[in-house]
Amino acid sequence: MSEDKSLTTDMLIIGCGIAGASAALEAAKSGLRVIVITKNSKLEESNTYYAQGGIVSLGLDDHPGLLKEDIIKSGDGINNPGAVEILASEGKKVVDDILFKELKIPFTRSSPDSLDYAQEGGHSRRRILHIKDTTGKTIEERFIEALKKYSNVTLLADHTAVDLLTVPHHSKNPTFYYEEPQCIGAYVLDNQSGKVKRIFAHYTFLATGGCGTIYLYTSNPKGAIGDGYAMAYRAGARIVNMEYIQFHPTSLFHRDADGFLISETVRGEGARLKTKEGRTFMENYNEKKELAPRDEVTRAIYEEMINSNSSYVYLDLVSYAKFDIKKRFPNIYRTCLKYGIDITREPIPVVPAAHYCCGGVLVDGWGKSSLKGLFAVGEVSCTGVHGANRLASTSLLEGLVWGTRASKHIASHFNPAMSYKPSDIHKWYYPEKEEEVDPALISQDWISIRSTMWNYAGIIRTNKRLERARADLDYLRHRIEKFYKEARMDEKVVGLKHGIQVALLITYAALSNPVSLGAHYIQD
Ligand SMILES: Cc1cc2nc3c(=O)[nH]c(=O)nc-3n(C[C@H](O)[C@H](O)[C@H](O)COP(=O)(O)OP(=O)(O)OC[C@H]3O[C@@H](n4cnc5c(N)ncnc54)[C@H](O)[C@@H]3O)c2cc1C
């Protein structure tokens, strides 16, 4: 079986969260032809959509130097100074120009004349703009609305990138081996038809977000399995800092809540962590108590859980709140209530959850990766802004700033980078006899990956645990690859292949770094 459908565009953007959407909007304004794909059937489904706390700008008594200091302190000093400078000095202007002026985002105000700046752990100032506790939802919806107005933008939902198209790897012509390796688009699965098409692009953007869902407990939605890291790795782009996986200290502990996040702003507004017996404990770990950096709060909770043989601790907001909880945290209030917890009357049971990947595809200040033609923006990239640990609420801003910068750069230096013809490049290969996929196998493989990552490559790592993870995951990878070659293509099979690759990337990175720093904590 073969297919002949292929598309050609100036920019292919894989992912439609804040990073992909802001890159698409900027490119659209400069008249470039853009195709944006997302593997979900809903355009808005992404980590961005679920962001609660807000987006960093600059507060009233604030300046870029203070923000820079906070970012570097949180990142344990291994941040890329140039990238931190870009974020701190350009961030506010991009927020003002795009979010306020262009998309007219209705950020929450404390009075008609002043914005309500929230505070989160690690920030020395109140500087986080929010729309109550559903910031990401509004931002994502406004971006999609804006993109739909451009005729030079094609939005394709239900399209899953399977692999990057690279030359010479996918070329038919042996003389291409003398050329510099280059990314020229992607093989993309149409989830509905089950067919893989080639989308050729002068510039290809990975904006595929993070990988929290390869862990058993995570705040991320189901789709966040790190597809972009896996595809970039297979294409030969440089990937760095994958051991720095940030765990969010507080997700709701409830059998059916699927990692629902209790935002850091809840602690910022005074809530305290307590053991099941009602004893506060953060003062024993850090003088900043509940506002200590995320990784320290996470390990403190983990330790208290182990010491008291408990599966959760409490986050007590009601004893400390001097405001109307329902008004300030309507989404958290409603969701907890759905699970039988009234946060205006009782403390919230919480556990840590995998939340953010500080590493990724190494890029420069314009989002350019080490592979010609390939850009990466947002969580899938590593600009170096976050160093060993991300400062809260800086990732939406990073996606917005780099998405915008990368497209501006391309628009002002546009030079059709791809000189290959579709006929030079292999079509997708389908096995002669495709096997029906048994969903039980996929589901069990995912359970193995997620449990292995949680137990052996999670919050507290040791060499023995990591070695065990490597052995188990390597074995699983062989089995998955064999299965992948024979299976009928669908997005679940593709996801599994990406997922096992990402689990191994994290495990190998953790094994090769014996130094505990930021979000990588190794005991031996
Ligand atoms: C619950 C929660 C709360 C958060 N709160 C905050 C906050 O308050 N402030 C903050 O700054 N950050 C927050 N974060 C982190 C932040 O949301 C993310 O880092 C950020 O949204 C990432 O944006 P992105 O555009 O890089 O990726 P995403 O928003 O995750 O978008 C990824 C896109 O890629 C698509 N995709 C993935 N793989 C493929 C594929 N193979 N083919 C096609 N499409 C694909 C997805 O469908 C999606 O469209 C939070 C995260 C979570 C999970």
Side-chain angles (χ1 to χ4, degrees):
M1 204 189 318
S2 81
E3 51 76 47
D4 264 327
K5 279 186 202 148
S6 70
L7 302 170
T8 301
T9 184
D10 293 328
M11 273 171 61
L12 167 64
I13 300 180
I14 307 172
C16 194
I18 191 165
S22 52
L25 188 63
E26 197 57 43
K29 287 187 278 187
S30 58
L32 294 170
R33 291 171 306 148
V34 184
I35 295 179
V36 184
I37 63 166
T38 169
K39 64 182 176 179
N40 205 278
S41 55
K42 292 187 189 138
L43 286 169
E44 66 275 13
E45 176 64 17
S46 56
N47 275 13
T48 299
Y49 186 82
Y50 298 98
Q52 297 178 349
I55 182 164
V56 158
S57 178
L58 288 178
L60 297 175
D61 52 350
D62 205 1
H63 64 83
L66 286 175
L67 175 57
K68 240 161 61 178
E69 266 173 34
D70 291 346
I71 292 174
I72 291 173
K73 207 180 277 174
S74 196
D76 260 344
I78 64 157
N79 317 61
N80 174 358
V84 178
E85 174 68 35
I86 290 173
L87 191 87
S89 60
E90 293 183 15
K92 183 179 181 326
K93 183 166 169 18
V94 180
V95 167
D96 289 349
D97 289 349
I98 297 177
L99 300 189
F100 277 103
K101 291 188 195 137
E102 206 166 331
L103 300 183
K104 309 218 171 353
I105 306 279
F107 285 110
T108 299
R109 295 180 170 272
S110 51
S111 73
D113 314 319
S114 55
L115 288 158
D116 183 38
Y117 292 100
Q119 176 140 29
E120 295 192 54
H123 286 275
S124 59
R125 292 291 184 277
R126 295 186 78 91
R127 55 165 76 105
I128 296 155
L129 295 170
H130 62 100
I131 303 142
K132 293 189 179 149
D133 56 355
T134 53
T135 310
K137 178 175 184 294
T138 310
I139 293 180
E140 182 65 23
E141 287 170 347
R142 294 278 167 114
F143 260 116
I144 288 171
E145 242 172 71
L147 287 174
K148 283 183 175 164
K149 293 185 183 138
Y150 285 87
S151 59
N152 51 335
V153 175
T154 307
L155 296 165
L156 297 176
D158 247 338
H159 278 68
T160 305
V162 179
D163 255 320
L164 295 172
L165 266 169
T166 53
V167 177
H169 186 66
H170 295 110
S171 67
K172 296 177 186 167
N173 186 339
T175 65
F176 291 168
Y177 277 90
Y178 307 119
E179 312 274 330
E180 183 187 349
Q182 185 180 347
C183 175
I184 56 168
Y187 286 115
V188 175
L189 172 74
D190 177 336
N191 299 349
Q192 296 298 328
S193 69
K195 294 285 177 285
V196 177
K197 57 184 137 201
R198 296 166 300 166
I199 303 187
F200 294 98
H202 295 300
Y203 299 96
T204 304
F205 274 50
L206 286 172
T208 44
C211 59
T213 300
I214 64 157
Y215 282 91
L216 194 58
Y217 299 108
T218 179
S219 64
N220 291 193
K222 286 199 171 57
I225 53 176
D227 309 44
Y229 308 109
M231 290 187 281
Y233 174 76
R234 290 197 289 270
R238 276 187 73 193
I239 296 187
V240 297
N241 288 1
M242 290 299 285
E243 65 272 40
Y244 299 112
I245 299 292
Q246 183 179 68
F247 288 81
H248 195 286
T250 54
S251 74
L252 179 62
F253 178 79
H254 189 282
R255 205 181 43 192
D256 302 322
D258 251 355
F260 177 71
L261 198 80
I262 308 297
S263 159
E264 197 130 16
T265 38
V266 175
R267 278 178 286 124
E269 298 293 359
R272 303 238 27 210
L273 287 159
K274 293 180 174 173
T275 61
K276 257 175 153 172
E277 294 72 40
R279 174 178 53 80
T280 60
F281 55 83
M282 274 314 299
E283 60 276 16
N284 304 328
Y285 293 88
N286 188 300
E287 59 184 19
K288 287 190 174 164
K289 301 180 193 162
E290 273 72 8
L291 293 184
R294 273 189 182 168
D295 56 315
E296 291 185 39
V297 180
T298 301
R299 282 196 297 276
I301 295 176
Y302 193 73
E303 235 169 81
E304 291 292 330
M305 279 167 45
I306 286 176
N307 292 343
S308 60
N309 195 20
S310 166
S311 324
Y312 60 90
V313 295
Y314 280 119
L315 183 64
D316 182 358
L317 175 63
V318 60
S319 309
Y320 304 93
K322 296 187 183 66
F323 48 83
D324 185 339
I325 293 177
K326 283 189 210 171
K327 270 200 185 143
R328 176 65 183 88
F329 297 112
N331 184 35
I332 296 177
Y333 168 73
R334 268 196 314 273
T335 308
C336 289
L337 201 60
K338 200 168 86 189
Y339 298 110
I341 302 153
D342 182 348
I343 68 169
T344 64
R345 290 167 181 270
E346 57 192 314
I348 314 166
V350 290
V351 278
H355 187 53
Y356 185 82
C357 180
C358 302
V361 182
L362 183 67
V363 296
D364 66 10
W366 303 105
K368 235 190 274 176
S369 80
S370 62
L371 177 63
K372 189 175 169 191
L374 180 68
F375 285 67
V377 289
E379 191 166 337
V380 68
S381 71
C382 180
T383 60
V385 159
H386 307 299
N389 203 359
R390 176 186 73 125
L391 178 66
S393 286
T394 50
S395 45
L396 287 176
L397 185 63
E398 185 191 33
L400 179 69
V401 168
W402 260 265
T404 308
R405 277 177 73 88
S407 285
K408 270 197 178 139
H409 179 75
I410 287 176
S412 58
H413 298 81
F414 189 72
N415 172 19
M418 183 192 48
S419 52
Y420 304 97
K421 294 191 292 298
S423 56
D424 294 333
I425 307 300
H426 285 292
K427 288 177 192 160
W428 184 254
Y429 166 78
Y430 297 89
E432 263 175 34
K433 219 175 127 222
E434 290 175 328
E435 271 189 25
E436 259 336 302
V437 179
D438 178 354
L441 294 182
I442 296 203
S443 146
Q444 180 54 40
D445 283 349
W446 267 119
I447 292 171
S448 303
I449 295 172
R450 289 191 175 127
S451 312
T452 303
M453 292 307 287
W454 182 258
N455 291 314
Y456 301 151
I459 295 169
I460 296 183
R461 299 161 175 171
T462 67
N463 266 315
K464 270 200 182 132
R465 291 177 193 173
L466 290 167
E467 284 292 1
R468 180 65 187 272
R470 173 163 65 181
D472 291 358
L473 294 168
D474 258 334
Y475 174 65
L476 197 55
R477 186 202 8 213
H478 287 305
R479 290 214 330 247
I480 290 173
E481 273 176 6
K482 185 165 178 295
F483 163 75
Y484 179 86
K485 283 193 186 116
E486 294 152 5
R488 182 188 298 281
M489 281 296 274
D490 76 12
E491 67 276 19
K492 292 203 185 76
V493 177
V494 177
L496 188 59
K497 190 185 175 206
H498 290 326
I500 185 75
Q501 183 86 69
V502 177
L504 278 161
L505 280 171
I506 295 170
T507 304
Y508 275 91
L511 261 173
S512 59
N513 185 354
V515 183
S516 288
L517 206 63
H520 171 56
Y521 190 77
I522 184 155
Q523 252 178 10
D524 257 328

